[in-house]
Amino acid sequence: MTPIRVWAPEARQVECVVGADHHRMTSEPGGWWSWTPAGDGRIDYLLSVDGGDPVPDPRSAWLPRGVHGPSRTFDATAFDWTDDDWRGPREGRGTLGAVFYELHVGTFTRPGTLVSAIGHLDHLVDLGVDVVELMPVAAFGGSHGWGYDGVQPYAVHQAYGGPLAFQVFVDACHARGLGVCLDVVYNHVGPVGNYLPTFGPYFTEGDATPWGAAVNLDGPGSSEVRRWVVDNALRWFRDFHVDALRLDAVHALHDESPIHILAELSDETAALAEQLGRPLDLIAESDLNDPSMVSPTAAGGRGMTAQWDDDIHHALHVTLTGERQGYYADFAGGTEAWPEGTPLRVLAKTLTEAFLHDGRPSTFRGKVWGAPVDRETVSGHRFLAYLQNHDQVGNRAAGDRINETISPGQQAIGAALYLLSPYTPMIFMGEEWRASTPFQFFTSFDDQWLADAVRKGRREEFAAYGWAAEDVPDPQDPATWSGSVLNWAERGTPGHTEMLEFYRELTKTRRREPDLAAGDLLATTVELDETAGWVVMHRGRVHVVCNLGPRSRTVPLPDLVVDRVLVSWGRAPIVDEHGVQLDGHDVAVIRSV
């Protein structure tokens, strides 16, 4: 049987506890300890350091009884994969330029499991999705939660089905031509079930993240902590056949080492991709607006394949909703970031240059922020664009989706602009049919003090924005989770099916038209009229014509000879020598000769 090994550099003795039996582990070089069980069957075990309380393994693959219970051995090589011919997303072209779909396993279906999610994969194929992006599946305290307070990054949350179910899910995705991107969190761990300090210096006392102590990436003992991180990432690629990882909040990775942890991870991922013969991608969530994030490590960059781009979301959101509080303020223009700017001009900038804050002052942050993207050398595909995601919905007080605020036509405009942009687009689950269910922040902590702290913190956070405490959903109330589960029956009903069909047509159009499939930022231009309220995004011969106003209007296109209308939201647009006549809150995608 494979030995059980654990790193505990300061321990005098470590025991592997199996039931009532305590087995002394053997000391190995580098602070490691090992013990090899007899036989080949699964065993449940805990680890005791210097006679302390037995706790789970820091590299637990399986925690069938939760984060406080014993680790269970798991042979990741035993699964009978059927994806031997899998070359990677889009027949080996990778994730850049693919259509992503972000989902949360626990609310994607009523059972909230990986196996039940398989039942809706054909819907994603029909929608035109290329890559399924899962919010974190690492084990966390309680049954329901977003997953960003995970404490066991090697284990798959038992309520979702455990590690075998994840292998089954990935295999089912690949069978349908869908890639899989997994959201992982390496900057901190959650408050419930964190036994890592029992074993070694996994955290640093000098730094902290907004969510807890920072992972030790550059202090004493950090070499093995870094391996704990990198090995985890490579394991998802190798043993679970995942195609990409989304790295949560990489700006919170405190690392002053000569080689940053992201660059190290990038280089090792590239080596594994060559070994496996398929593309493996790393996608960062970064608040830094720094193009070096997606620059090669050989050029001094972090080597990420792509990064989420909140600036595009913020510009779309402000343009469509008119909201301008908090971090939205700069995106309405008229601030220190862009004194002469307006929402439409900010939108035009983000659609063509990726960032608003690219060396401009950020009023929300109180400092100059970001750096410009070199549009000649950097593909737009290296930035993910979206109208919604789990943060931008779930971090609203009531978890309300954008369709609660804007008309169907306005959503159609936003969808057309980001899905047909030069960026890599990402749809948030249910967005495609204008889902009525919210996506609220929910937890299920058993510790009363922690449950109360979460409630209090959530209410205080939104009190600053004028929300009454009773109007902020209780994260601990099971109804908060239950009310966030998608209602799949809506898809075929009036008010929902029309949007679903429009999204399908947009993804088909993106695939069919070479100018839309390209990530060339220099080939993307935007015309606008702030007074009349129209915007046109030009992408080679394809033009996304938007009437943002509530009344019918003709958008002039004097220099274009229209070949055909590729897709439109409302009534068929009237196209003549004067331009494109659209209803209020309407959009048409046309191709010119």
Side-chain angles (χ1 to χ4, degrees):
M1 191 168 181
T2 303
I4 294 171
R5 301 180 72 243
V6 64
W7 179 63
E10 299 175 3
R12 297 182 300 277
Q13 179 60 55
V14 181
E15 294 176 309
C16 189
V17 181
V18 182
D21 298 325
H22 288 237
H23 302 275
R24 293 174 66 89
M25 303 182 79
T26 301
S27 176
E28 296 180 349
W32 285 85
W33 301 77
S34 70
W35 174 69
T36 303
D40 296 322
R42 293 174 181 161
I43 65 167
D44 289 0
Y45 68 97
L46 293 162
L47 299 172
S48 172
V49 176
D50 292 332
D53 291 339
V55 296
D57 188 337
R59 294 188 179 220
S60 295
W62 193 357
L63 290 164
R65 285 182 262 171
V67 296
H68 301 296
S71 304
R72 177 171 292 172
T73 54
F74 176 74
D75 182 3
T77 66
F79 182 68
D80 187 14
W81 292 92
T82 65
D83 66 350
D84 290 345
D85 296 330
W86 178 251
R87 296 166 53 202
R90 301 186 306 148
E91 300 182 343
R93 287 174 289 162
T95 61
L96 288 181
V99 176
F100 277 66
Y101 188 93
E102 187 190 23
L103 67 86
H104 175 262
V105 174
T107 53
F108 189 58
T109 65
R110 179 56 60 181
T113 66
L114 288 155
V115 171
S116 65
I118 293 173
H120 294 297
L121 292 182
D122 290 338
H123 164 81
L124 302 186
V125 174
D126 184 57
L127 177 60
V129 170
D130 299 304
V131 179
V132 181
E133 179 173 315
L134 300 180
M135 289 172 63
V137 301
F140 58 86
S143 56
H144 302 302
W146 279 18
Y148 295 97
D149 51 5
V151 292
Q152 286 278 4
Y154 281 75
V156 176
H157 190 52
Q158 186 62 22
Y160 296 162
L164 178 59
F166 188 43
Q167 290 180 318
V168 171
F169 176 84
V170 174
D171 199 49
C173 285
H174 288 175
R176 292 164 172 80
L178 294 168
V180 178
C181 176
L182 177 63
D183 197 336
V184 291
V185 183
Y186 295 137
N187 53 66
H188 78 291
V189 301
V192 175
N194 175 17
Y195 298 107
L196 293 173
T198 301
F199 296 93
Y202 279 87
F203 303 97
T204 177
E205 297 179 0
D207 295 308
T209 74
W211 317 283
V215 174
N216 174 24
L217 300 173
D218 55 9
S222 62
S223 59
E224 287 296 346
V225 178
R226 293 169 73 94
R227 282 265 44 107
W228 178 74
V229 170
V230 174
D231 288 350
N232 176 263
L234 300 182
R235 173 177 172 271
W236 294 121
F237 289 133
R238 184 186 59 248
D239 296 345
F240 292 84
H241 294 203
V242 162
D243 303 286
L245 296 177
R246 184 262 192 188
L247 308 176
D248 179 66
V250 299
H251 48 272
L253 294 170
H254 300 281
D255 186 9
E256 299 296 330
S257 305
I259 299 177
H260 193 277
I261 185 67
L262 293 179
E264 180 180 344
L265 177 56
S266 174
D267 288 342
E268 294 207 29
T269 297
L272 181 61
E274 184 174 354
Q275 176 187 332
L276 297 178
R278 59 186 177 90
L280 304 175
D281 294 324
L282 299 170
I283 300 169
E285 180 199 19
S286 173
D287 182 51
L288 302 177
N289 281 23
D290 189 344
S292 69
M293 188 63 62
V294 295
S295 299
T297 58
R302 299 293 189 239
M304 299 293 98
T305 309
Q307 73 154 82
W308 279 26
D309 192 334
D310 277 353
D311 280 22
I312 300 167
H313 166 272
H314 297 349
L316 284 168
H317 189 89
V318 170
T319 297
L320 295 172
T321 68
E323 293 181 10
R324 50 185 67 193
Q325 73 276 15
Y327 52 68
Y328 289 136
D330 286 345
F331 295 85
T335 67
E336 188 181 4
W338 198 351
E340 71 279 16
T342 63
L344 288 189
R345 293 178 68 185
V346 171
L347 177 62
K349 177 173 172 55
T350 61
L351 289 175
T352 56
E353 300 180 31
F355 298 143
L356 167 63
H357 295 118
D358 55 3
R360 295 171 180 264
S362 167
T363 56
F364 180 74
R365 300 178 180 93
K367 62 179 70 176
V368 172
W369 202 258
V373 173
D374 184 349
R375 297 189 295 157
E376 291 188 1
T377 61
V378 180
S379 170
H381 287 167
R382 293 195 177 275
F383 304 93
L384 266 65
Y386 32 84
L387 184 62
Q388 301 179 94
N389 63 36
H390 75 271
D391 272 333
Q392 303 304 334
V393 177
N395 283 337
R396 295 172 66 83
D400 52 310
R401 295 170 179 265
I402 196 172
N403 50 264
E404 295 296 319
T405 305
I406 63 176
S407 69
Q410 288 173 304
Q411 180 177 339
I413 290 170
L417 287 173
Y418 89 84
L419 281 168
L420 305 183
S421 73
Y423 306 111
T424 294
M426 185 178 72
I427 301 167
F428 181 59
M429 64 175 197
E431 173 192 324
E432 71 273 21
W433 75 75
R434 203 168 162 83
S436 66
T437 49
F439 183 72
Q440 298 174 335
F441 180 71
F442 47 85
T443 55
S444 56
F445 296 128
D446 293 329
D447 299 80
Q448 191 59 47
W449 70 268
L450 184 56
D452 290 341
V454 170
R455 290 189 188 100
K456 183 174 182 289
R458 189 78 175 168
R459 288 166 177 166
E460 288 179 350
E461 177 183 358
F462 289 103
Y465 295 99
W467 285 80
E470 61 270 18
D471 294 330
V472 179
D474 179 0
Q476 284 285 124
D477 187 342
T480 304
W481 159 77
S482 179
S484 299
V485 176
L486 288 177
N487 177 7
W488 286 86
E490 290 181 330
R491 288 180 300 164
T493 61
H496 300 281
T497 187
E498 300 88 350
M499 189 64 71
L500 177 56
E501 182 58 29
F502 183 66
Y503 270 68
R504 287 190 186 119
E505 289 302 313
L506 289 176
T507 60
K508 289 178 184 176
T509 302
R510 182 182 178 93
R511 278 192 171 89
R512 286 194 303 254
E513 298 295 327
D515 287 341
L516 293 177
D520 187 353
L521 290 171
L522 291 176
T524 302
T525 60
V526 175
E527 287 185 88
L528 59 90
D529 186 319
E530 293 168 295
T531 302
W534 57 259
V535 170
V536 182
M537 180 175 66
H538 302 284
R539 302 221 46 222
R541 293 175 56 211
V542 181
H543 316 274
V544 183
V545 186
C546 309
N547 177 18
L548 291 155
R551 296 182 178 83
S552 176
R553 181 173 298 280
T554 296
V555 178
L557 297 173
D559 299 325
L560 296 180
V561 178
V562 176
D563 175 26
R564 57 171 295 194
V565 176
L566 300 174
V567 59
S568 62
W569 166 247
R571 295 179 300 173
I574 299 172
V575 182
D576 56 26
E577 67 276 12
H578 301 295
V580 179
Q581 183 178 336
L582 295 171
D583 290 338
H585 295 169
D586 201 359
V587 56
V589 182
I590 65 173
R591 184 173 62 202
S592 60
V593 175

